Amino acid sequence: MKRVDDFRLRLGKHELVPIMIGGMGVDISTAELALVAARLGGVGHISDALVHDVSDRRFDTSFIKDKTKLYKYNINNSDKTDIKFDLDLLAEATRLHVGKTMDAKQGDGMIFVNCMEKLTMNGPRDTLRVRLASALDAGIDGITLSAGLHLGSFGLIEDHPRFRDAKLGIIVSSVRALQLFLRKNAKLNRLPDYIIVEGPLAGGHLGFGLDWAKYDLHTIVAEVIQYLKDENLEIPVIAAGGIFTGSDAVSFLEAGAGGVQVATRFTVTKECGLPDDVKQEYFKAQEEQIIVNTISPTGYPMRMLNNTPAIGSNIRPGCEAYGYLLDGNGNCSYIEAYNREVEANPNNKDFKVMDKTCLCTHMRNFKCWTCGQTTYRLKDTTHKLADGSYALLSAEHVFRDYQFSINNEVALPTQASST
């Protein structure tokens, strides 16, 4: 019976353990988590979501404080068109986060940055170009383009000296999306180095509608692999979404996938950036608590726990401090929803905004509990302690369980290491 370790992911000259840890934003996939994957020979992701805030927390910078002070005059104004990101500061924050992570890297694995293209930041093309180029400047091994396939992304960095050196990958949820991307970028003579196929059971933003349950990851992966074969394209396909055991992973590897991307089981590791009390919410979650809704201002459905504090929150839009989801005209659908409810409830400060949420502020404060469909199974991966809480795991334990387990088994940590 095969194990994940019997396979290898080939990216150019690199042969890797075929396990990627997904790039969960706002420092949930921390540098520490990515460094474990790289040390063990796989691929770890960090994320550049809210990178100024990540830098402030990690390196004692003051990007958010300074931006808030600069735009303080606009806090009570519903018009956010003035709120702009200083591109030099954006580059500085990105280089700090990426560069410090790469400086600490050990082992034969790789570290990528997950770049969410729906972070439009009131300047979609310019801010995306700076984020991509600055990550390359800082020595990142690769970039995964996620959360909205921007067909012109590669073109934004085609003049960068590392454009053909660094690994560049995309996330798709259908053959059609892949076809569109390849067609758009054909003139660049630069194929993706890997393609992550994310299925309907993934956490966070989904590449599906509310009919997500009609789709199946095995089917989509097989379609993408067949399409690449028909086009004589040798690009590794990475299966993602709902892969809970090493045996789940092997089923994709045996079917021709080059690797798997996993994240849910790493949310409850010590290295994950979620606060410990939130990790316990993930452990305690029941299957019926896992929902898909449309409260994200990005326009994409999003999977989360139904007790997440972000649902129904009436927090004032925090664009002066954050503003990562402002479109090119300074708009965000949460601002519209918030202002509508303020107008409808002039004498009620406890109103709820149910249809959208201030994703920037709530993600920054770890109050938007996005999760994968298999989150309810996390309680079966560890020990319940005497006080009723669950023992956190190490990222190395989870990684090696994926790498070496068989028969759909999940290895529990030793009691001593889980206290």
Side-chain angles (χ1 to χ4, degrees), residues 175-397:
V175 169
R176 182 176 178 274
L178 174 58
Q179 291 171 329
L180 288 172
F181 186 89
L182 294 179
R183 199 173 300 139
K184 174 70 174 179
N185 289 274
K187 63 181 181 180
L188 297 177
N189 192 30
R190 172 59 165 99
L191 293 170
D193 295 290
Y194 57 97
I195 298 162
I196 298 174
V197 178
E198 192 172 83
L201 304 184
H205 291 102
L206 302 179
F208 300 87
L210 294 178
D211 62 347
W212 58 269
K214 293 167 47 179
Y215 298 90
D216 171 71
L217 179 59
H218 273 285
T219 301
I220 303 169
V221 167
E223 291 171 350
V224 170
I225 290 174
Q226 186 61 51
Y227 170 75
L228 293 173
K229 183 178 179 180
D230 292 344
E231 297 295 318
N232 294 313
L233 297 175
E234 294 186 6
I235 305 174
V237 173
I238 314 297
I243 300 170
F244 199 77
T245 68
S247 298
D248 292 338
V250 166
S251 70
F252 288 98
L253 298 171
E254 288 185 323
V260 296
Q261 178 171 279
V262 290
T264 293
R265 287 185 58 190
F266 289 93
T267 60
V268 289
T269 61
K270 298 168 187 174
E271 292 84 355
C272 174
L274 289 171
D276 285 354
D277 60 337
V278 178
K279 293 174 185 176
Q280 293 300 322
E281 295 292 335
Y282 282 51
F283 275 128
K284 293 186 296 183
Q286 302 299 314
E287 186 173 9
E288 60 270 18
Q289 287 183 263
I290 300 168
I291 62 172
V292 175
N293 59 31
T294 57
I295 69 171
S296 171
T298 65
Y300 288 109
M302 188 163 60
R303 177 172 281 114
M304 62 180 62
L305 298 180
N306 67 357
N307 59 334
T308 183
I311 299 175
S313 169
N314 67 355
I315 192 168
R316 184 172 61 185
C319 305
E320 285 68 32
Y322 306 114
Y324 289 84
L325 290 176
L326 293 173
D327 66 19
N329 297 311
N331 299 317
C332 170
S333 60
Y334 177 70
I335 298 173
E336 299 170 10
Y338 175 82
N339 289 335
R340 181 197 66 224
E341 294 302 325
V342 168
E343 185 176 348
N345 297 274
N347 301 312
N348 179 15
K349 294 183 179 181
D350 296 325
F351 63 88
K352 294 183 181 296
V353 183
M354 296 301 299
D355 52 321
K356 296 296 173 186
T357 192
C358 185
L359 197 60
C360 294
T361 302
H362 284 307
M363 290 298 289
R364 186 268 174 210
N365 293 327
F366 302 108
K367 298 296 186 182
C368 188
W369 299 341
T370 59
C371 66
Q373 185 63 32
T374 57
T375 295
Y376 70 96
R377 297 175 62 185
L378 289 173
K379 60 179 65 67
D380 299 324
T381 68
T382 192
H383 303 286
K384 195 170 186 178
L385 304 177
D387 64 359
S389 66
Y390 293 86
L392 299 182
L393 302 155
S394 74
E396 180 167 350
H397 168 84

Side-chain angles (χ1 to χ4, degrees), residues 34-93:
L35 289 166
V36 170
R39 175 171 58 83
L40 298 177
V43 179
H45 274 95
I46 56 175
S47 169
D48 74 345
L50 277 68
V51 68
H52 302 83
D53 185 69
V54 173
S55 175
D56 287 353
R57 295 190 197 205
R58 286 186 166 267
F59 312 119
D60 202 29
T61 51
S62 59
F63 294 119
I64 299 299
K65 179 181 177 181
D66 294 344
K67 182 170 179 282
T68 306
K69 184 178 180 181
L70 178 65
Y71 292 111
K72 184 178 180 179
Y73 71 88
N74 200 68
I75 285 176
N76 293 317
N77 188 357
S78 60
D79 184 349
K80 305 300 182 182
T81 53
D82 281 359
I83 309 301
K84 304 288 185 180
F85 282 84
D86 183 306
L87 297 182
D88 289 337
L89 296 181
L90 174 58
E92 182 182 347

Side-chain angles (χ1 to χ4, degrees), residues 4-19:
V4 168
D5 197 54
D6 294 319
F7 301 84
R8 284 296 177 267
L9 169 61
R10 291 174 174 80
L11 294 177
K13 298 178 181 178
H14 298 270
E15 285 200 0
L16 304 151
V17 177
I19 298 171

